Amino acid sequence: MTAKDNKPAAAAETTVTSNALAARELEWAVNPPSLLEEHRKTNGSIIRTRFPPEPNGYLHIGHAKSMNFNFSLAFEKLGVAPENRRTIFRYDDTNPEAETEEYIDSLRRDLEWLGWTPECTTHSSDNFQALYDLAVQLIKKGLAYVCDMTKDEMVAQRDLAKRRSNARHMEKDPDVEAPLDPALLPGRKCHV
């Protein structure tokens, strides 16, 4: 601890940078400048994180770590002023067979008990129809498909993908070492 601020010495020396949480940049995932500008106009200096537990059980230590990261540590690492910090509490309610009101209420109570206050609470299921409609549009444009593979076909496809990747890594021709099998191409029976 440092006497001056009662913080552990390592925390007192931490340098906050704007790219403290940066991951590798994927060319296809980079937002165009127009979208970034629209985001800035909408959000200003507000930075949002989300805490998305699935309501299929009670909170455990892993959830507590995630809460600390999403409600506090991420903002600290990025140097976000307290007045610009927002966290969305999103129930990832995508598996109705395993989820109950008991768990939903328990998660909310535990969140409050731990002292975290979300900006708002949402449910993944609120977006199901919109996501379904978008998926249908992508399928009709030929940009997506519904996977109809069996487990055995998936195992064979993954094995083929590994063999093709290994061939490229060994500077061999993947089409010779592990030719594509049309039977393993996904989306063969897809109709909308």
Side-chain angles (χ1 to χ4, degrees), residues 1-14:
M1 296 272 187
T2 60
K4 184 172 79 174
D5 55 13
N6 278 345
K7 290 184 180 177
E13 297 167 12
T14 301

Side-chain angles (χ1 to χ4, degrees), residues 138-140 142-150 153-154 157 181-192:
L138 289 171
I139 291 167
K140 286 181 177 180
L143 299 172
Y145 62 89
V146 176
C147 183
D148 54 15
M149 297 184 109
T150 66
E153 288 172 326
M154 283 187 201
Q157 185 189 56
D181 180 350
L184 296 179
L185 296 176
R188 301 176 311 277
K189 300 175 249 175
C190 182
H191 302 285
V192 177

Side-chain angles (χ1 to χ4, degrees), residues 155-169 178:
V155 169
Q157 185 189 56
R158 287 182 186 142
D159 178 62
L160 177 63
K162 274 189 215 172
R163 289 187 291 124
R164 290 180 63 81
S165 177
N166 288 341
R168 280 189 290 277
H169 182 71

Side-chain angles (χ1 to χ4, degrees), residues 7-86:
K7 290 184 180 177
E13 297 167 12
T14 301
T15 302
V16 177
T17 63
S18 62
N19 66 349
L21 304 176
R24 65 189 167 109
E25 193 169 284
L26 302 173
E27 184 179 326
W28 55 266
V30 174
N31 289 317
S34 59
L35 191 57
L36 291 173
E37 182 56 32
E38 182 182 335
H39 177 77
R40 279 195 252 337
K41 285 180 183 174
T42 302
N43 293 292
S45 57
I46 302 297
I47 301 294
R48 286 183 177 82
T49 60
R50 64 172 170 70
F51 174 60
E54 184 177 343
N56 64 353
Y58 300 107
L59 290 182
H60 52 71
I61 193 68
H63 289 106
K65 287 171 61 178
S66 178
M67 275 190 254
N68 183 55
F69 185 80
N70 287 293
F71 281 92
S72 181
L73 188 60
F75 297 122
E76 291 171 17
K77 288 283 186 187
L78 293 172
V80 179
E83 65 273 12
N84 295 330
R85 300 174 180 188
R86 306 287 189 281

Side-chain angles (χ1 to χ4, degrees), residues 86-105:
R86 306 287 189 281
T87 299
I88 296 170
F89 183 41
R90 187 194 81 211
Y91 287 108
D92 193 9
D93 57 342
T94 56
N95 184 6
E97 293 172 3
E99 297 151 3
T100 67
E101 283 298 316
E102 174 185 356
Y103 296 136
I104 289 173
D105 293 340

Side-chain angles (χ1 to χ4, degrees), residues 121-134:
T121 299
T122 64
H123 296 77
S124 294
S125 59
D126 293 344
N127 299 310
F128 281 176
Q129 188 61 50
L131 293 172
Y132 177 84
D133 294 343
L134 289 169

